[in-house]
Amino acid sequence: MTGGPDGKRQDNWPAKKRSFDLVEATADKAVEKHSFERVPSAMFDLDPVPKVITFDCYGTLVQWYEVLLSEVGRVLESSGRTNVDAGQILESFSQEAKRTTAEKPHRLYKDILRSGFRVAFRTHDVELHTDDLERIASSPMTMGPHPDVPEALRRLRQHYKLAIFTNSDDDLIAPTVERIGVPFDYVITAEQAQAYKPSREFFEHAYRTIGLSSEETVHVAMGMYWDMKARYELGFRGFWVNRRDETGNPDWLPYTEVLDVQGAANLLLPS
């Protein structure tokens, strides 16, 4: 992928894939109403200067898709189902996760991983053994950071406090945060909030916990449905980290699109 010095993609970019987060069965508008052509992202305004930069973790900071695609691929290979694409399994999981994370009472994310991948593999008629399921459900604890992340966080930490807002459990996210290798001032989980992004309940809990209003923060995230939808509905500033060369949802603008966390850091730090 190529981009300009500010992390924005150049005009001669390739055609976009749909994001796993653009499953319109749970979005506000039907897919027919969306334009999947390139739409301009907002220029970032650093006024007012934020006090805390908040981050989604899975996909944004650590290699969520890379690890899960590898784990799902192992299952498909061992079962002889090489005609099924691992990305299709993840798409099916994403649809199921959108449904189950919206349900009450709250369920731990490790349980949603188990139930979601059971449904995803069954949807594609792939046998899933218990040991494979447990390995996939625990794989978030093994996810390391994207190469750009540690240095970007170290640069940002010189000027801001840092927080993670994650759809995860406390024990599931702890080793992941440790692997990133940069201290965070706050780690807010869905388990603590008893709610999942993109719900208002999650973000209201998170802002109460860090003791700031949303206007005093900027959110950096890869999740279009999980994070940019909430950004639009709740009105806080945000960067969409488009790591996978995908098409954003124009209904949830304005967000500022960058290639990676370094691109967001370049715009957040004094020149």
Side-chain angles (χ1 to χ4, degrees):
M1 294 190 293
T2 58
D6 63 351
K8 291 181 178 294
R9 198 173 299 279
Q10 301 296 325
D11 290 337
N12 61 344
W13 60 329
K16 294 292 185 180
K17 302 187 295 291
R18 284 190 68 193
S19 167
F20 288 137
D21 286 335
L22 288 177
V23 180
E24 304 305 333
T26 52
D28 289 337
K29 298 187 178 181
V31 65
E32 290 80 10
K33 296 183 180 180
H34 288 284
S35 168
F36 292 106
E37 299 300 321
R38 175 150 171 81
V39 292
S41 63
M43 293 299 295
F44 181 71
D45 185 359
L46 196 55
D47 183 23
V49 176
K51 296 179 180 178
V52 177
I53 310 301
T54 67
F55 295 88
D56 167 59
C57 187
Y58 298 145
T60 304
L61 299 179
V62 303
Q63 299 182 50
W64 167 264
Y65 291 105
E66 292 81 356
V67 170
L68 285 180
L69 285 170
S70 175
E71 293 292 351
V72 170
R74 286 177 61 182
V75 175
L76 296 175
E77 184 175 2
S78 65
S79 64
R81 293 299 307 278
T82 54
N83 60 317
V84 179
D85 182 73
Q88 295 175 305
I89 303 291
L90 289 189
E91 177 77 18
S92 296
F93 167 76
S94 182
Q95 293 184 45
E96 181 66 9
K98 287 181 173 68
R99 184 186 69 81
T100 52
T101 54
E103 294 178 339
K104 296 294 183 182
H106 181 82
R107 297 169 57 190
L108 291 175
Y109 193 59
K110 60 180 67 71
D111 295 332
I112 286 175
L113 284 165
R114 292 187 183 99
S115 64
F117 275 105
R118 282 194 197 99
V119 170
F121 279 96
R122 186 166 61 244
T123 298
H124 296 275
D125 196 28
V126 177
E127 184 178 6
L128 180 63
H129 298 292
T130 301
D131 57 343
D132 290 325
L133 177 61
E134 290 304 311
R135 190 181 66 252
I136 291 171
S138 63
S139 64
M141 293 189 287
T142 73
M143 294 173 180
H146 291 286
D148 63 286
V149 165
E151 177 59 24
L153 294 179
R154 282 191 285 268
R155 292 169 59 205
L156 288 168
R157 191 168 173 77
Q158 297 176 26
H159 298 271
Y160 305 105
K161 289 186 175 182
L162 306 180
I164 285 177
F165 289 1
T166 180
N167 277 354
S168 191
D169 309 329
D170 292 348
D171 61 345
L172 203 61
I173 200 66
T176 311
V177 174
E178 186 174 352
R179 283 173 175 271
I180 293 171
V182 179
F184 285 84
D185 298 281
Y186 310 95
V187 177
I188 311 300
T189 67
E191 181 181 8
Q192 297 165 21
Q194 291 292 287
Y196 286 97
K197 298 182 294 181
S199 71
R200 179 180 294 270
E201 290 85 352
F202 179 97
F203 285 93
E204 288 178 346
H205 169 85
Y207 292 129
R208 283 196 306 270
T209 300
I210 67 177
L212 295 175
S213 68
S214 61
E215 290 79 12
E216 297 173 290
T217 68
V218 172
H219 192 53
V220 181
M222 184 177 172
M224 181 55 59
Y225 170 80
W226 305 104
D227 295 271
M228 293 301 104
K229 180 177 186 288
R231 190 227 58 78
Y232 171 77
E233 293 174 346
L234 302 179
F236 52 83
R237 289 177 290 173
F239 286 96
W240 178 43
V241 180
N242 187 5
R243 290 191 182 277
R244 295 179 57 80
D245 195 20
E246 296 168 332
T247 298
N249 189 329
D251 290 328
W252 297 334
L253 285 167
Y255 47 77
T256 300
E257 179 183 342
V258 292
L259 292 177
D260 53 26
V261 175
Q262 285 282 13
N266 290 342
L267 296 175
L268 284 164
L269 292 168
S271 57

